[in-house]
Each structure stands twice: as C-alpha cells, then as structure tokens.
C-alpha cells in the first residue's frame, strides 16, 4: 500500500524543512488555476481501469506478437505527429481489448489503427487528429479494401470493447505530473557537484526514455502506473548519478518510500541493461537518450 494516503495529510508546517524543487519556474497550480493534487488523486483512482496486477495476462495469445504491434503503432503515431502520450494511451487501449478476447490476426491492423484514432480524438486537440482517409492510406488499409465506413465501424468496436471509458493512465501521464511538481531539489548533488540548469531537462529525457522502454515489454503491466512511474523516476535519478537516489520530498510527491519501489526499479534496470548491455554500469548520456528511438 503506497504511503500517499499518509503523505496527503502532511501540512505545509510539517514539510518546512524539506528542500525546494530545482528548476521549477512556475507554480503549476496557479498556472492552471486548480489543485493539481486532485488530478493525481484521479489518476490513483482510475489507473486500475487499464493496468493492474489483477488484469495482468502474460499468457494472452497476442503477447508473442505484442512488441511488433507496439513498434508499428509507434511508427504510425510518429508519422501522424501524435504526442507520445497519445501513442501510450492507444497501446493501453489495444492491450485491454486483446487480453479480454481473441482477435483474428486479419483484424489486428484495423483495430490497432482504430485505437490510435480513438486515442487521438480523446487526447489531442481536434485539429491534430489524423483524418481517416490519411490513416487508411498511411497504414495501407485502403489497399486491402477498408473504407472510411469500415474504419468507423472499427472505431465503434474499440469503443464498445472499452466500455466507452477512455480515461487511460499510462506511467508517462504520471511522470508528467511528477516533473511539473519538481523531481530534483536544490540540495541534490550531480556526480558530487551542485546541479546545473540542464538537469531537469535531463531528468525529463531519461524519464520519457524509460517510459518508452517499459511500454515495449508487457511484463511491466503487472505494476500500477503510479508505482512504475515512481520506479522510473528513481531510475532516471540513478542514471544521472543524482544523490541522494530517493528522498522525503519524492516520497511526499509520489506516495512511495524507496523500499516500496525497489522491486519495480530493479525490473526496469535489468530490462534496460538487457536491451542496452553495459549502459547501466556507465550511464548513457542525456544526449544519447534523446537521440535513441526505443521503438526501433
């Protein structure tokens, strides 16, 4: 059980001894005119609609082919200039549908594209949603006989299978909240030295890298998104050699003590070293993380 329930009760007087976030130039609550902690509470409540230990299905029939679907959907999403968060949500849509029923392989491409389209309509501004004719041409669905009408039927099939509940919470959404609140602090140290101005950007690049990396591997869906996001934040700090690795401010922010996220962190780190041998021992640079397309 995360310690968020206890942390949320901490008053400003109780946290007066904590360090200030480093590199946070605006108060996100004031900018948005709302209590963003309420958004995090909503994520905590809704996250199990798509990902939870209870719905983890490692033996679902599509799992051996899932990596190819993830890579393909990522490529299509990037060609459509969709936000990375939209692609992550679309893949959560697909996972939920595919683990609940057997889908004929001849139907996979249509449903995968329909998931992207539905996710875009929910996550993106209207003008950024790819038109159906463009999707049919890009994915070559038109070449196998699909029309705008049959594609819309595919979208309706997606919506029905999702129960019309489209509020999916991938770890990337949670990371966005953590970063906006501040994931590094004024008395942190980077390789034994004071932090430099670029550190928050480096943390963001690492966090997004680990979110993309763990999206590829279905075994990470045995963890709650908020739990995995906290582990990814720890992995990002470890990659940059920021000390201390974890601290009371991060426990307050995420709701997790370091011991609670260590199993997830170890899983993330082991998978990272498996995919990029030797990098974990020497830590790859933020520049190489930004350049690396983990979907390839």
């Amino acid at each position: 059980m995360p310690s968020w329930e206890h942390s949320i009760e901490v008053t400003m007087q109780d946290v007066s001894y904590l360090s200030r976030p480093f590199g946070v130039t605006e108060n996100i609550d004031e900018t948005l005119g709302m209590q963003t902690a309420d958004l995090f509470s909503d994520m905590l409540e809704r996250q199990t609609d798509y990902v939870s230990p209870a719905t983890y299905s490692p033996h679902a029939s599509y799992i051996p082919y899932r990596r190819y679907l993830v890579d393909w959907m990522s490529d299509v999403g990037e060609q459509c200039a969709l936000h990375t968060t939209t692609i992550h949500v679309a893949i959560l849509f697909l996972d939920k549908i595919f683990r609940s029923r057997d889908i004929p392989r001849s139907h996979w491409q249509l449903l995968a594209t329909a998931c992207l389209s539905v996710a875009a309509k929910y996550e993106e501004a209207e003008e950024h949603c790819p038109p159906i004719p463009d999707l049919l041409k890009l994915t070559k669905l038109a070449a196998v006989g699909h029309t705008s009408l049959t594609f819309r039927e595919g979208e309706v099939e997606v919506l029905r299978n999702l129960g019309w509940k489209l509020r999916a919470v991938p770890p990337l959404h949670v990371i966005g909240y953590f970063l906006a609140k501040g994931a590094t602090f004024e008395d942190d140290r980077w390789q034994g030295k004071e932090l430099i101005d670029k550190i928050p950007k480096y943390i963001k690049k690492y966090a997004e890298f680990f979110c993309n990396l763990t999206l590829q591997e279905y075994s990470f869906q045995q963890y709650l998104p908020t739990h995995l996001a906290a582990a990814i934040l720890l992995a990002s700090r470890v990659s940059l050699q920021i000390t201390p690795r974890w601290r009371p401010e991060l426990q307050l922010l995420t709701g997790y003590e370091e011991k609670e996220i260590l199993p997830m962190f170890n899983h993330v780190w082991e998978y990272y070293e498996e995919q990029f041998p030797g990098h974990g021992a020497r830590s790859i640079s933020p520049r190489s993380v930004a350049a690396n397309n983990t979907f390839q």
Side-chain angles (χ1 to χ4, degrees):
M1 176 66 68
S3 56
W4 171 260
E5 290 84 353
H6 306 290
S7 300
I8 195 68
E9 299 175 357
V10 177
T11 65
M12 290 305 295
Q13 288 75 20
D14 294 325
V15 300
S16 60
Y17 68 93
L18 299 177
S19 181
R20 293 170 57 87
F22 178 82
V24 176
T25 58
E26 63 178 348
N27 184 314
I28 191 67
D29 290 17
E30 293 178 358
T31 300
L32 297 179
M34 64 180 299
Q35 293 292 324
T36 53
D38 293 340
L39 291 177
F40 186 50
S41 295
D42 184 67
M43 289 188 215
L44 286 167
E45 181 179 346
R46 294 176 181 269
Q47 63 181 334
T48 55
D49 288 346
Y50 279 85
V51 179
S52 78
T55 58
Y56 179 58
S57 303
H59 303 298
S61 60
Y62 81 104
I63 295 299
Y65 311 97
R66 182 182 178 276
R67 173 66 180 270
Y68 301 103
L69 286 167
V70 169
D71 290 348
W72 185 82
M73 291 175 71
S74 175
D75 183 58
V76 172
E78 289 172 0
Q79 290 187 62
C80 292
L82 298 178
H83 290 103
T84 305
T85 51
T86 301
I87 298 170
H88 283 229
V89 166
I91 292 167
L92 290 190
F93 287 174
L94 191 77
D95 277 326
K96 185 169 185 176
I97 294 170
F98 276 47
R99 70 171 176 255
S100 64
R101 51 178 292 209
D102 286 329
I103 308 293
R105 291 194 194 181
S106 60
H107 211 42
W108 285 9
Q109 188 180 17
L110 174 63
L111 280 188
T113 309
C115 284
L116 282 168
S117 181
V118 171
K121 290 172 181 175
Y122 189 79
E123 296 283 327
E124 304 267 350
E126 182 178 356
E127 60 270 19
H128 293 158
C129 296
I132 290 178
D134 292 354
L135 281 173
L136 292 174
K137 181 178 180 181
L138 175 63
T139 61
K140 297 182 172 57
L141 284 169
V144 294
H146 283 291
T147 65
S148 293
L149 178 60
T150 61
F151 187 81
R152 289 194 182 278
E153 290 172 350
E155 288 182 316
V156 171
E157 184 177 351
V158 167
L159 292 168
R160 286 174 177 164
N161 277 280
L162 297 177
W164 298 81
K165 295 180 180 179
L166 305 181
R167 180 73 165 90
V169 182
L172 190 58
H173 275 174
V174 184
I175 283 291
Y177 170 79
F178 291 163
L179 295 176
K181 287 292 189 177
T184 52
F185 301 88
E186 290 182 349
D187 60 357
D188 277 337
R189 288 295 178 266
W190 172 51
Q191 300 177 357
K193 301 173 290 187
E194 291 187 358
L195 300 186
I196 60 174
D197 291 343
K198 291 183 179 180
I199 287 295
K201 293 182 180 179
Y202 292 168
I203 284 284
K204 181 175 185 291
K205 290 185 184 300
Y206 271 108
E208 290 174 349
F209 166 78
F210 282 120
C211 283
N212 288 334
L213 187 67
T214 55
L215 183 69
Q216 295 177 338
E217 172 55 45
Y218 183 74
S219 63
F220 289 101
Q221 290 207 19
Q222 65 186 289
Y223 309 124
L224 292 174
T226 53
H227 210 167
L228 181 56
I232 285 172
L233 186 55
L234 174 57
S236 302
R237 289 174 62 92
V238 170
S239 295
L240 274 172
Q241 302 175 34
I242 292 177
T243 55
R245 301 194 334 165
W246 202 249
R247 48 188 302 152
E249 294 87 345
L250 293 173
Q251 178 182 335
L252 182 63
L253 173 65
T254 67
Y256 293 102
E257 299 178 26
E258 183 174 359
K259 64 182 180 182
E260 294 177 288
I261 61 176
L262 274 179
M264 297 79 203
F265 164 77
N266 289 334
H267 190 177
V268 170
W269 202 259
E270 288 168 4
Y271 185 67
Y272 164 43
E273 291 189 318
E274 176 186 323
Q275 298 299 309
F276 301 92
H279 283 188
R282 57 184 171 84
S283 184
I284 52 180
S285 70
R287 180 175 297 180
S288 65
V289 165
N292 184 15
N293 183 351
T294 59
F295 290 111
Q296 296 299 319

